[in-house]
Amino acid sequence: SHGLGTQVRAAVRLPRLQSWQLDESWLHRRFSRCRLGVSVAGHTQHHSHVMEPSMQFDELAPIATPQKAKELLSLCLPELQWDALQWHGAQRAMARRLYSQARWMVLGVLALWWMDAQLNWALPPAGAACVATALLAVTVYYAWAWAQFAAYARCGNVLLFRSGVWHRRWDIVVTSRLQSVRLHSAPLDRRLGIATLQADTQGGSKRRRALNIPCMGRSKAEALQAHLWACMQHPMGEKP
């Protein structure tokens, strides 16, 4: 339920819930709060545009304490034991993330150099070096912090992936409700021996996959893909 003047109460059957998203922004963490979102089978991105706002169901808790959000998750996913989760970090994640972020740093330095030439800023070499060093330090720190936090975990039929630095996010799916699973690897990924595991559910969005685990070791990614495919072909414990 939500609303002040106009109050709305919505409900959905638990088997129709396809994935869960636990979000914590920097401001959320300052006040010990979070957001618990969901995707519902049949509520695609196209249907969300044509449906009335009161008919949309994409949040279980717009704002809640982390403890309350975990209690709601336990209600939806009884087999999920949050405190017993064993998180597995991504291999070579920092190197891959650093490369991805470094592209933007190079573009930023080139843009600064172009503006200096066009606008005659006469930026001294020492100043330019300080700016480049600061950008490099921020890029390296962000890649390191992202790699330290990013990890995935399995608990029975539930698969979780966490990521983020300033804005942290936990993506949670039930493996037997997945609709597709694929491995993606760029040339640099193959050079580093890693791959990205991607999976979608029935209520997924075109803009964001239900599950996207980057920087996994190739062998682990292939093993997890095979496990997910087996769960998709032979779902267990699902009731219509």
Side-chain angles (χ1 to χ4, degrees), residues 18-21 39 87 151-154 157-163 169-175 178-184 196-201 204-205 208-214 216 224-225 227-228:
Q18 300 296 298
S19 63
W20 296 257
Q21 306 84 36
S39 64
W87 294 95
Y152 71 94
R154 287 168 51 188
N157 201 31
V158 180
L159 181 62
L160 307 91
F161 175 67
R162 68 185 189 190
S163 62
R169 182 184 179 101
W170 288 258
D171 291 309
I172 308 166
V173 298
V174 176
T175 56
L178 296 177
Q179 298 294 311
S180 65
V181 59
R182 64 192 290 262
L183 288 182
H184 171 78
T196 297
L197 178 71
Q198 299 174 332
D200 283 313
T201 60
S205 169
R208 183 181 180 90
R209 299 187 182 277
L211 195 67
N212 190 80
I213 308 180
M216 293 186 67
L224 184 56
Q225 181 192 31
H227 170 74
L228 295 180

Side-chain angles (χ1 to χ4, degrees), residues 22-70:
L22 185 64
D23 291 283
E24 281 186 353
S25 67
W26 179 88
L27 189 59
H28 275 146
R29 291 195 293 276
R30 302 286 75 78
F31 294 93
S32 298
R33 294 293 183 269
C34 63
R35 170 189 175 273
L36 181 58
V38 294
S39 64
V40 181
H43 289 195
T44 61
Q45 184 180 8
H46 170 72
H47 287 110
S48 297
H49 289 304
V50 299
M51 291 172 59
E52 296 181 6
S54 60
M55 296 296 294
Q56 297 180 16
F57 194 98
D58 56 5
E59 291 178 325
L60 282 182
I63 185 168
T65 63
Q67 182 61 34
K68 186 62 178 179
K70 292 176 182 178

